[in-house]
Amino acid sequence: MSIKRIMTAALLALTTLVGAQADGIRIEPFTLAANEVKDVEILFDNATNYGGLQFDLLLPDGVSIVENDDNELCDQNTDRLSYKDFTVNANQQEDGSYRFLIYNTKGKNIAGTSGNPILTIRLTANDRVQSSTQQVRVQGQVLSTVDAEETQVPNSSFPFSLTVKTTISAVGYATFSWPIDLDFTGLEVKAYVATECKNGSIHLEQVEKVPAGTGLMLKGEQGTYTLQTTYEECEAITTNLLTGTAYGEIIVSGNDTFVLSAPEGKVGLYPAKEGLKIYQYKSYLQTNSEARSLFFDDDTAGIEEARSSVNTTPAAVYTLQGVQISTPSRSGLYIKGGKIMVVKQK
């Protein structure tokens, strides 16, 4: 055999090997918001012609397939699977996975191509999806030629991203928590945890990678924002004073719970009345502080004007000798709130 024929044969063998490795189901990356219903295409890479195939889709807890208008679990892509030539059976197994079987009895082939859609499924998600399982797993995949030659394909996983929407009102702040890890990197809305509480104010520290369940204070312009979940590991936040309600609402008990409010547009954390319901996906602060309200410090919140205008604690009054008094009893100069004031008694 000539060198040219040997090289040609080797090239053909390599092409066949690469094609065989690439054959199988594939899903492109996609995003899915909580409570959203979204069409997701199932692609089929097949350098070889096949007469049918079978595979199982295993979805994470909280993600499921929604039936179409014909009460079926998928739609066929008629460019690759004509209804007259191919039959698609789909059903949910006892383990929760979805099994798809594509076959024909007419000796037809699914013509070789690179990645065109073969099926479309409709996915929906709820807030129980865990960050470590944001992937669709394809398993038990078997490809069959019209001559009944079968090829088993290794299991594979395809990651996807979950998103969640939240709204910030005109006050520019909102409390939030979510049962999935979040990534605020590059987003217009900023996330903060409360790291210190003293002298009637709280210190907020900006965070980007947020573990599931973390109580947060969000800051941004009025509007609705799409937050990005992540399946990358997030470091624990150990200094946060905010408690999240990601896993369920609570009823306030006692008088040490502060919630975000803005009476007369004065934004701050105010004591919650006993029996108040704090809804799921919010956050609150518990402290034994005797303050009647807590306001964000100037360094992080940027609402110095709002803070000073709502300080309900009267400033102490001192004589020029530094003696604190309740109220001036005679005319003279006094110090109040760090400023000299003149008192004239009638």
Side-chain angles (χ1 to χ4, degrees), residues 56-129:
D56 294 344
L57 288 185
L58 184 60
L59 304 176
D61 291 340
V63 177
S64 58
I65 295 179
V66 178
E67 293 182 345
N68 60 21
D69 294 338
D70 297 322
N71 298 319
E72 297 174 342
L73 292 174
C74 65
D75 293 323
Q76 295 178 215
N77 185 296
T78 54
D79 291 339
R80 304 203 68 191
L81 301 176
S82 64
Y83 285 107
K84 66 178 182 180
D85 294 329
F86 290 89
T87 299
V88 177
N89 288 337
N91 57 79
Q92 191 168 15
Q93 305 296 297
E94 291 185 359
D95 64 355
S97 64
Y98 296 88
R99 174 161 295 174
F100 296 84
L101 175 62
I102 301 171
Y103 66 95
N104 77 88
T105 58
K106 301 180 179 180
K108 300 292 184 177
N109 277 314
I110 306 173
T113 185
S114 177
N116 288 338
I118 192 171
L119 300 172
T120 299
I121 58 176
R122 291 177 176 84
L123 293 183
T124 189
N126 59 37
D127 52 42
R128 294 193 306 275
V129 182

Side-chain angles (χ1 to χ4, degrees), residues 15 197 225 263 315:
T15 302
C197 174
Y225 295 86

Side-chain angles (χ1 to χ4, degrees), residues 241-256:
L241 301 178
L242 293 171
T243 300
T245 59
Y247 304 104
E249 63 187 31
I250 71 159
I251 303 297
V252 173
S253 176
N255 57 4
D256 60 350

Side-chain angles (χ1 to χ4, degrees), residues 43-306:
L43 310 179
F44 185 43
D45 294 317
N46 58 308
T48 302
N49 295 338
Y50 293 101
L53 68 152
Q54 175 179 297
F55 62 93
D56 294 344
L57 288 185
L58 184 60
L59 304 176
D61 291 340
V63 177
S64 58
I65 295 179
V66 178
E67 293 182 345
N68 60 21
D69 294 338
D70 297 322
N71 298 319
E72 297 174 342
L73 292 174
C74 65
D75 293 323
Q76 295 178 215
N77 185 296
T78 54
D79 291 339
R80 304 203 68 191
L81 301 176
S82 64
Y83 285 107
K84 66 178 182 180
D85 294 329
F86 290 89
T87 299
V88 177
N89 288 337
N91 57 79
Q92 191 168 15
Q93 305 296 297
E94 291 185 359
D95 64 355
S97 64
Y98 296 88
R99 174 161 295 174
F100 296 84
L101 175 62
I102 301 171
Y103 66 95
N104 77 88
T105 58
K106 301 180 179 180
K108 300 292 184 177
N109 277 314
I110 306 173
T113 185
S114 177
N116 288 338
I118 192 171
L119 300 172
T120 299
I121 58 176
R122 291 177 176 84
L123 293 183
T124 189
N126 59 37
D127 52 42
R128 294 193 306 275
V129 182
Q130 298 301 309
S131 60
S132 61
T133 57
Q134 291 180 31
Q135 59 186 11
V136 177
R137 183 172 176 80
V138 179
Q139 57 191 28
Q141 188 175 174
V142 179
L143 313 180
S144 178
T145 67
V146 293
D147 298 325
E149 295 182 1
E150 295 185 348
T151 300
Q152 294 187 350
V153 179
N155 296 340
S156 54
S157 297
F158 303 94
F160 66 94
S161 298
L162 284 166
T163 60
V164 59
K165 295 184 182 296
T166 190
T167 300
I168 294 181
S169 67
V171 302
Y173 288 85
T175 61
F176 190 76
S177 63
W178 197 250
I180 305 172
D181 295 358
L182 297 171
D183 185 358
F184 286 85
T185 305
L187 299 185
E188 293 183 4
V189 61
K190 305 303 179 185
Y192 299 85
V193 293
T195 58
E196 190 176 20
C197 174
K198 65 179 181 180
N199 300 327
S201 69
I202 57 174
H203 179 78
L204 300 179
E205 181 177 319
Q206 186 176 353
V207 290
E208 293 185 337
K209 300 292 180 66
V210 179
T214 302
L216 297 172
M217 187 72 67
L218 302 185
K219 182 174 186 273
E221 299 293 331
Q222 181 178 8
T224 300
Y225 295 86
T226 298
L227 307 183
Q228 182 67 55
T229 62
T230 179
Y231 49 85
E232 297 179 1
E233 185 176 357
C234 297
E235 293 185 8
I237 298 175
T238 59
T239 58
N240 189 19
L241 301 178
L242 293 171
T243 300
T245 59
Y247 304 104
E249 63 187 31
I250 71 159
I251 303 297
V252 173
S253 176
N255 57 4
D256 60 350
T257 300
F258 287 69
V259 294
L260 181 69
S261 186
E264 301 180 356
K266 300 170 184 177
V267 186
L269 292 177
Y270 293 82
K273 294 182 179 180
E274 188 164 359
L276 175 72
K277 179 187 294 184
I278 301 179
Y279 291 98
Q280 191 174 11
Y281 313 128
K282 300 296 183 179
S283 67
Y284 60 92
L285 184 145
Q286 280 189 311
T287 176
N288 57 7
S289 171
E290 296 180 356
R292 286 177 288 176
S293 51
L294 299 170
F295 303 101
F296 312 122
D297 66 18
D298 303 339
D299 292 337
T300 55
I303 56 169
E304 181 178 359
E305 180 179 351

